[in-house]
Amino acid sequence: MKKSILLAVASLTLAQFAHAADIKKGEELVNKGGCIACHGAGLDKPIAPNYPKLAGQYQSYLFHALQQYQTKHQTPLYGRNNAIMSGMVAQYNKQDLEDIAAYIASLKGDLYIRDEMH
Ligand code: HEC
């Protein structure tokens, strides 16, 4: 009985580690991925006015957007059809996208408003 509780606790803890977003890993992926080529320095100075600023955007939104580019337009209600971004994210797995989203959300760009809200 005790042993099974311990095992349950241990596996819960492991599961949490496996899903925790890793900001440092996200930074490496963003640097290797060449995202600044379009989204600009600090991902806050896009090279074209119609390219989005990313720095400081909410993590959940970034993750959602990245997943949508991977999904493309599978149904009329889910997915984003953008050839550039779909190509950019094709190489990543779900955990990579979580890490990338966590890193970008941590950058203090124009969109970073969490401090003011507290
Ligand atoms: C060649 C240019 C280019 C590169 C390189 C690029 N992006 Fe993008 N990105 C775009 C464009 C253009 C859009 C807007 C696409 C659209 O209309 O959906 C975009 C959109 C996004 C969005 C959605 C923003 C929002 O507010 O909805 C995210 C997130 C994103 N890019 C992340 C990345 C990441 C992470 C990388 C590097 C792995 C990257 N981008 C590399 C051009 C680029």
Side-chain angles (χ1 to χ4, degrees), residues 11-79:
S11 57
L12 260 180
T13 311
L14 275 178
Q16 275 169 354
F17 271 119
H19 290 279
D22 183 340
I23 291 181
K24 191 89 199 121
K25 175 89 190 304
E27 180 175 11
E28 283 166 25
L29 292 171
V30 164
N31 288 341
K32 270 196 225 145
C35 315
I36 64 162
C38 293
H39 294 285
L43 302 183
D44 197 37
K45 296 193 168 39
I47 56 160
N50 60 337
Y51 283 11
K53 287 187 179 190
L54 303 178
Q57 178 57 273
Y58 287 105
Q59 181 176 339
S60 55
Y61 175 83
L62 290 164
F63 177 67
H64 182 72
L66 292 168
Q67 270 203 317
Q68 292 229 327
Y69 290 123
Q70 254 185 359
T71 305
K72 301 186 194 157
H73 231 157
Q74 278 182 1
T75 79
L77 296 177
Y78 192 86

Side-chain angles (χ1 to χ4, degrees), residues 71-99:
T71 305
K72 301 186 194 157
H73 231 157
Q74 278 182 1
T75 79
L77 296 177
Y78 192 86
R80 290 189 184 190
N81 248 339
N82 182 270
I84 300 174
M85 279 309 302
S86 290
M88 290 304 305
V89 296
Q91 59 180 313
Y92 303 118
N93 64 32
K94 185 167 177 280
Q95 185 65 49
D96 292 337
L97 297 186
E98 299 263 21
D99 296 345

